[in-house]
Amino acid sequence: MKLRDTLPRGPLGFGAAPLGNMFRNISDAEAAATVNAAWEEGTRFFDTAPFYGAGLSEIRLGEELSKHRREEYVLSTKVGRLILEETEDADSREFGEKGDIFKYGRANKIAYDYTADGTHKSIEDSLKRMNVDRIDFVWVHDVAQDFYGDDWISIFDIARKGAFVALSRLRDQGVIKGWGLGVNKVQPVEMLFDLSEVQPDATLLAGRYSLLDHELALQRLMPAAAARGIDIVVGGPYSSGVLAGGAHFEYGKVPQDIADKVEKIKALCARHHVPIKAAALQFSLAHPASAAVIPGASKPERIKEDHAAIKAAIPADFWRELREQRLVSQVAPLPIDQR
C-alpha cells in the first residue's frame, strides 16, 4: 500500500525522536503538550521508535494518542532494537556516529536484533508500550554505517534474511500496511531497492533529502523510488536543527561550510520574506518520490511553526535564485517545476 494514500491530513507528520529526550531532558508535561499541539494543528501521521530514549518516545506518544480513535491517525515505528528490563548507566552509552544522543532517555539496556523473531518481539513490545492494537508502517532501523561502521553490511544481511522477510509476510497478511528502512544513509536504501526477493512499500530517509544535503540521494535513490512507486518519508528536514535555529548538524557540531551555506540561505529567505522552515519543508516535498515529511519537535510552539511553514506562499523568484546561486543541486525538483 502506498503510504501517501493513507495520510488523512496531508504530508506533514510528526517525528517523535525528541520525545525520547534527544539532546535534553524534557518533562512528561512538555512532551504531552507537544503531541497535543500536533493533533490540534491537524497532524495525523506520527513516527517513533523503540530506540528513542529506550522506549520513552513510544510510551509518551502512546499515552497521548490513546485519547483518540485509532483509525484517525497513521502510526509508524521501527524494529532492530529490543528494549530490555535490565538497566545500565545511560550516560555511558554511545551510538556510533550519533554519540550520546539519548543519554537523557530511560536507562533500559538496548539489544540489537534484526532477525525474524526479534522483529516480531519488537513489534509486540511496541504495541504494549504505545497501548495500540496495530502499527501501520514498520521501518528496519539504522542498518547503516553510521551505527555499525564496517560491519554494517553483515548487519544488513541479517536483516535481509530476517526482518525483511518477516515484515513482508506481515504486510501480505494485512497485519501492517507496509515496511521499509529507517536510516540516515543512502547506500542501504539503494541496496534494498536492488533486492529481488523482497519489495519495500516505502522508506524513511533521515537527513539525506534536505536543503543542505540532497545531492547523493538525487543521483540514484530518489529517481529509483519515483520510478518504482516506493514512497520516501523525509526525516530530519531541518538537518538536525541547524535550519531551524538549532546548534546541531548531523547530530553534532555544525561545520563551518554548513554554517556558511545556512547563512546564505537565510539571507535569501530574508530578502524574499520567506521563513527558512518553509523553504526547508517545501523543498523536501517537491520531489515526486517524497510522500511525507516528519520534522521532530519537543515544544508546542514549534508544531505551529511547522504547519504555518508548509502552507506558506513562497514566491517563484525565491526558488529561481536558490537554484541560480547553486544553493541547491541544479537537478533538484523545486515547487516552481510543478506549476
Side-chain angles (χ1 to χ4, degrees), residues 98-120:
K98 303 304 180 284
D100 59 358
I101 182 174
F102 287 113
K103 73 174 183 178
Y104 299 110
R106 298 164 75 216
N108 297 67
K109 279 191 174 181
I110 299 173
Y112 300 88
D113 193 334
Y114 292 93
T115 65
D117 287 345
T119 296
H120 287 289

Side-chain angles (χ1 to χ4, degrees), residues 119-335:
T119 296
H120 287 289
K121 172 63 173 169
S122 181
I123 291 173
E124 290 171 7
D125 290 349
S126 290
L127 290 171
K128 291 176 183 176
R129 278 191 292 268
M130 292 189 283
N131 192 28
V132 294
D133 62 358
R134 68 185 183 278
I135 294 163
D136 297 304
F137 291 88
V138 178
W139 316 122
V140 183
H141 206 187
D142 290 330
V143 281
Q145 188 175 19
D146 51 340
F147 277 92
Y148 297 106
D150 293 338
D151 292 331
W152 80 269
I153 294 180
S154 64
I155 300 296
F156 183 96
D157 196 52
I158 293 170
R160 178 181 66 83
K161 298 172 182 176
F164 296 0
V165 175
L167 292 173
S168 293
R169 287 175 179 164
L170 290 175
R171 176 200 57 206
D172 295 344
Q173 293 165 359
V175 177
I176 62 175
K177 292 178 179 176
W179 71 276
L181 297 187
V183 291
N184 303 284
K185 297 292 184 181
V186 167
Q187 292 85 352
V189 185
E190 293 179 340
M191 284 179 61
L192 176 63
F193 286 0
D194 286 340
L195 298 179
S196 59
E197 65 267 34
V198 293
Q199 178 67 35
D201 305 275
T203 274
L204 169 52
L205 182 66
R208 301 286 73 81
Y209 203 72
S210 73
L211 270 176
L212 298 178
D213 188 338
H214 53 268
E215 296 208 13
L216 183 59
L218 276 171
Q219 290 177 14
R220 181 177 171 220
L221 188 157
M222 298 299 280
R228 299 182 187 198
I230 300 174
D231 283 335
I232 299 297
V233 176
V234 178
Y238 303 140
S239 294
S240 298
V242 68
L243 283 172
H248 295 94
F249 174 76
E250 279 299 285
Y251 309 99
K253 185 178 178 181
V254 181
Q256 189 57 52
D257 62 325
I258 294 297
D260 293 343
K261 187 173 183 178
V262 170
E263 288 306 309
K264 291 178 182 178
I265 295 173
K266 282 183 177 179
L268 184 60
C269 285
R271 205 157 56 244
H272 290 277
H273 307 287
V274 172
I276 193 168
K277 276 190 167 186
L281 293 186
Q282 294 186 34
F283 170 82
S284 292
L285 284 172
H287 198 285
S290 298
V293 62
I294 51 168
S298 60
K299 295 180 179 180
E301 56 268 28
R302 299 291 181 260
I303 299 292
K304 293 183 179 182
E305 292 174 2
D306 294 338
H307 277 267
I310 206 163
K311 298 171 186 172
I314 299 180
D317 284 347
F318 169 82
W319 297 115
R320 293 190 188 99
E321 287 190 41
L322 192 73
R323 183 176 277 162
E324 289 168 1
Q325 293 185 29
R326 297 190 174 273
L327 293 173
V328 293
S329 167
Q330 298 300 289
V331 297
L334 298 178

Side-chain angles (χ1 to χ4, degrees), residues 40-52:
E40 291 301 315
E41 288 293 324
T43 301
R44 295 296 184 269
F45 175 32
F46 299 87
D47 176 78
T48 184
F51 177 55
Y52 301 157

